[in-house]
Amino acid sequence: MVDSRAFGQHFDSLDAVIGWGHDVIFGTAVIVLANRAGVTARLLAGPATAVELAQLAAIPADKMARMLDFLLAHEVIARGREGAFMATARTAIMLEAADFFTITEFTNAAGPQLLPALQQGITPFAARYGVPVFDHFHAHPEDAAKFGKYMGLMTRRVEQFIFRQHRFGPFATVADIGGSMGDLLLATLREYPIARGILFDRPDVVELARPAITASPLAKRVEIVGGSFFEQVPAADLYMLKQILHDWDDHECREILACIRAAMNPGARVAIIDHVLSDVPEPSESLSTDIAMMVWDTGRERKLGEFSALFAASGFRIDRRTPNPNGHSVIELVLG
Ligand SMILES: C[S@@+](CC[C@H](N)C(=O)[O-])C[C@H]1O[C@@H](n2cnc3c(N)ncnc32)[C@H](O)[C@@H]1O
């Protein structure tokens, strides 16, 4: 588990905070370049010199050498034989996290808009990009694809927890609402081999997901449905909403839950997979993603009591909950 308390400790001195800030800001720039240019993947395939890596990235060799020194100093890569550089275990993680670092470009662009946007009553994302986040992705499929890959990474992180710690009762059809590229749905169908699945997301998003779903050996068990969860969702026995409610304010969440209520099969359950904030603020990833939701859209992370009140106002109650102190918890809802 990451020690989030370290954030505050950087503010013990001006030198500490500036050193840490430089590392994070410029280190991220180096990592994005290395991942995007194929430098990380090349090092994972075997040792390479700065000149070879500079050629790969099509940038000057002296500048590549300086960036490699940065990664070397932080032991993200290691020195190989005859002046070459080589990968370490950290290099593999740097590549695994590539989609996370890519998405920071949006947060870095929208984050500085926090003050003027909140003063105007709009989201920082809309202040920077002109429209709300999912409308931006509709107009920019290349950005939507980056976001979809990032969500896949976030799903892989929590998959083990969802399937090992929390067992769902029997269900015939599962609908992943706002299921993005289908990562969670496919993982669910692998775990529950008799079930059928519905991938539900905005029409433009399901078209981005379609090629990978169609190519999957599980394709025959998947139905792809495009639409809006503010209007209508398909009938199912189990609904999964992973990192959906946290995108929206309470009023919008009630609209989403009302749509599900109207569509659900008798006895259906709704699995909310989201961070749950502790009642007393303490350092955690969820407090950071709460701020992220303020930057990206109208949503928020919620405490358990806030979730319960939201569900009660929508005609649901919590039946089971599997808390995850390190990430997203599973909260299973039933009517009542
Ligand atoms: C934060 S992502 C979560 C994706 C996925 N559930 C996961 O956890 O990886 C939010 C998802 O909601 C989808 N979405 C946004 N507005 C929607 C709408 N009105 N109807 C259906 N899906 C929507 C987005 O396209 C995106 O895939």
Side-chain angles (χ1 to χ4, degrees), residues 9-21:
Q9 289 162 12
H10 294 298
F11 292 82
D12 285 347
S13 77
L14 185 60
D15 285 344
V17 76
I18 290 175
W20 162 77

Side-chain angles (χ1 to χ4, degrees), residues 134 147 151-152 155 176-180 200-202 205 227-230 241-244 246-248:
F134 298 115
F147 185 71
M151 290 315 309
T155 294
D176 191 4
I177 302 298
S180 190
F200 182 84
D201 207 301
R202 291 168 57 123
V205 175
S228 170
F229 47 47
F230 291 112
L241 283 81
K242 177 175 162 289
Q243 290 181 266
I244 298 300
H246 83 157
D247 284 338
W248 305 97

